[in-house]
Amino acid sequence: MEKRTEESAVTQPFVDKIINNVEKVVVGKREEIELSLIAMLSGGHVLLEDVPGVGKTMMVRAIAKSLGADFKRIQFTPDLLPSDVTGVSVYNQQTMDFVFRKGPIMSNVVLADEINRTSPKTQAALLEALEEGSVTTDGETRELNKPFFVMATQNPIEYGGTYPLPEAQLDRFLFKFKIGYPTRHEELEVLNRVEKRHPIEDLEEVLTLEELLGMQKDVLDVYVDETVKTYIISLVNNTRKHHAVYLGASPRASIALMKAGQAYAYMQGRDYVVPDDIKYLAPYALSHRVLLSSDAKLSNLTNDRVVKDIVAQVTVPVKKEAFK
């Protein structure tokens, strides 16, 4: 993915406050932190596909601590059951009744670690949570905490004994991206920071959950012009027509891209979305939502490369007065 330019740097003071706080723990990954906050503000979730040890867990923990949010980590394994995620009812002999014990999914911020290492049955337990913000156990639907944000990870290297996420599951994630290795200078800074004490231990809350919920409501009021909506539809439609694509992005992708655009514009201090917002976010929102044909895979094409090709082909609207 191409890095954004300095001209589109975050301008909202409270957003900068969160990002600067997280950067006390995660070095040199401002864009990735920003993308995570875009997903959180728009009510979406993130899938990280990267090698172990690059700071995935630290980033989501730092975000949770910055918000004073309830944080839980789920280590997905082949023997994990759906009830281990959602919760289970146990019999209380004293009250002679069943009592529901909440699962880790009932938190504000959840790290679903190595999600592709568990069975499809357990993976499916996340579908309702990601889409509806609720879980159904013992025939009863239980609402999840608000705000609710999931960051799932998977290792792209070791596929032995894994269960690749089906398209329906991938479609529930707003963004998919990588953190990547740090530069030499950034890695030296990491060593200096953790030499005596890990900075995550001293991280303080800089924004309340109530303030975050208010921001999520404000995002919904960001204006999206018909021209921008048409641009979104053109991008998504072209994923269905591209010669290298077997299965294109669904209408859910259009909705996700629009909501992400609203959150990104809000973080920039604007109350309207411009086409460049959509152009920047499209690769992160669409690449995991397309399925390449067999011929494309044999030609060593990747989802990222195909989506970038589509974004380059679709004309960007330039009628500026429509976005004011």
Side-chain angles (χ1 to χ4, degrees), residues 14 22 70 80-81 153 189 235 256-257 288 296 306:
F14 44 81
V22 175
D70 186 22
L80 196 73
L81 299 175
T153 72
E189 180 63 23
L235 288 171
L257 191 50
H288 61 291
V306 169

Coordinates of all heavy atoms in Angstrom, one line a residue, residues 14 22 70 80-81 153 189 235 256-257 288 296 306:
F14 N -7.9 16.0 19.6 CA -8.2 14.8 20.5 C -7.8 13.5 19.8 O -7.4 12.6 20.5 CB -9.7 14.8 20.8 CG -10.6 15.0 19.7 CD1 -11.0 14.0 18.8 CD2 -11.2 16.3 19.6 CE1 -11.8 14.3 17.8 CE2 -12.1 16.5 18.5 CZ -12.4 15.5 17.6
V22 N -0.5 6.4 22.0 CA -0.2 5.0 21.6 C 1.3 5.0 21.1 O 1.9 3.9 21.2 CB -1.2 4.6 20.5 CG1 -0.8 3.2 19.9 CG2 -2.6 4.6 21.0
D70 N -12.2 -1.7 28.6 CA -12.1 -3.1 29.0 C -11.4 -3.9 27.9 O -12.0 -3.9 26.8 CB -13.4 -3.6 29.4 CG -13.3 -5.0 30.0 OD1 -12.2 -5.4 30.5 OD2 -14.3 -5.8 29.9
L80 N -10.4 -24.6 20.7 CA -11.2 -23.6 21.3 C -12.7 -23.7 20.9 O -12.9 -24.0 19.7 CB -10.7 -22.2 20.9 CG -11.2 -21.0 21.7 CD1 -10.5 -20.9 23.1 CD2 -11.0 -19.7 20.9
L81 N -13.6 -23.6 21.8 CA -15.0 -23.8 21.5 C -15.7 -22.5 21.4 O -15.2 -21.5 21.9 CB -15.7 -24.6 22.6 CG -15.1 -26.0 22.9 CD1 -15.8 -26.7 24.1 CD2 -15.4 -26.9 21.6
T153 N -5.8 -11.1 14.3 CA -4.5 -11.2 13.7 C -4.4 -12.6 13.1 O -5.1 -13.6 13.5 CB -3.4 -11.1 14.7 OG1 -3.3 -12.2 15.6 CG2 -3.5 -9.8 15.5
E189 N 15.1 2.7 18.8 CA 14.2 3.4 19.8 C 13.4 2.4 20.6 O 13.2 2.7 21.8 CB 13.3 4.3 19.0 CG 12.3 5.2 19.8 CD 13.0 6.1 20.8 OE1 14.2 6.5 20.5 OE2 12.4 6.5 21.8
L235 N -15.8 2.1 -7.9 CA -14.6 1.3 -7.4 C -15.1 -0.1 -7.1 O -14.4 -1.1 -7.5 CB -14.0 2.0 -6.2 CG -13.2 3.3 -6.4 CD1 -12.9 3.9 -5.0 CD2 -12.0 3.0 -7.2
A256 N -19.1 0.0 3.9 CA -17.9 0.1 4.7 C -16.9 1.2 4.3 O -16.4 2.0 5.1 CB -17.1 -1.3 4.7
L257 N -16.8 1.3 3.0 CA -15.9 2.3 2.4 C -16.4 3.7 2.7 O -15.7 4.7 3.0 CB -15.7 2.1 0.9 CG -14.6 2.9 0.2 CD1 -13.2 2.9 1.0 CD2 -14.4 2.4 -1.2
H288 N -9.2 -7.4 0.8 CA -9.5 -8.7 1.4 C -10.9 -9.1 1.0 O -11.4 -10.2 1.4 CB -9.4 -8.6 2.9 CG -10.3 -7.6 3.5 ND1 -10.1 -6.2 3.4 CD2 -11.4 -7.7 4.4 CE1 -11.0 -5.6 4.1 NE2 -11.8 -6.4 4.7
A296 N -5.1 -15.7 -12.3 CA -4.4 -14.6 -11.7 C -3.5 -15.0 -10.6 O -2.4 -14.5 -10.5 CB -5.5 -13.6 -11.1
V306 N -4.1 -5.9 -7.5 CA -5.3 -5.8 -8.4 C -6.2 -4.6 -8.0 O -6.6 -3.8 -8.8 CB -6.1 -7.1 -8.3 CG1 -7.5 -6.9 -9.0 CG2 -5.4 -8.3 -9.0

